[in-house]
Amino acid sequence: MRKIYLAFLLSLFVSGCVNAPYINQIDLNKTDFSKIEELKHGEACNAVALFILPIETEKSILKATLEADITKIHYIESRNTGLYPIYYEDCVEVYGE
């Protein structure tokens, strides 16, 4: 009985681990990808090395739009790259006019 109880608690714990992106989702059927080369591209990253050494710490939509001089945002993407324990980047990419 104890194993069943522990398995139940473990399943509740694991089911709570959900990736909930902070970015609102849009209807991609209404997005015009034919003019994607004409759009400005801004990027802001949070880079970390060895879990604790922050290299660049500000990951915000505002920083990405200001660096690319974007006044109207069309869509936003989020990406993660790198070799996780040693070095990784968590970036926000903004496309717009």
Side-chain angles (χ1 to χ4, degrees):
M1 184 68 181
R2 185 174 183 207
K3 289 182 182 180
I4 294 173
Y5 180 70
L6 289 176
F8 176 73
L9 287 179
L10 182 65
S11 67
L12 284 178
F13 176 75
V14 173
S15 67
C17 300
V18 176
N19 182 13
Y22 58 91
I23 299 171
N24 292 335
Q25 296 182 6
I26 60 170
D27 186 12
L28 291 178
N29 293 327
K30 295 179 182 177
T31 305
D32 185 16
F33 289 105
S34 64
K35 299 179 181 179
I36 196 165
E37 289 101 11
E38 298 173 6
L39 296 177
K40 295 178 184 177
H41 174 257
E43 184 177 89
C45 296
N46 182 17
V48 177
L50 296 174
F51 293 112
I52 55 172
L53 302 172
I55 297 170
E56 187 176 341
T57 58
E58 187 179 353
K59 177 188 134 184
S60 68
I61 296 170
L62 179 62
K63 180 181 176 187
T65 55
L66 290 176
E67 285 182 359
D69 194 30
I70 296 173
T71 56
K72 183 179 179 184
I73 296 174
H74 288 280
Y75 55 96
I76 302 169
E77 293 180 349
S78 178
R79 69 172 171 83
N80 300 322
T81 59
L83 186 60
Y84 181 68
I86 298 169
Y87 173 79
Y88 65 93
E89 277 187 333
D90 188 20
C91 297
V92 171
E93 296 179 1
V94 178
Y95 296 88
E97 297 174 1

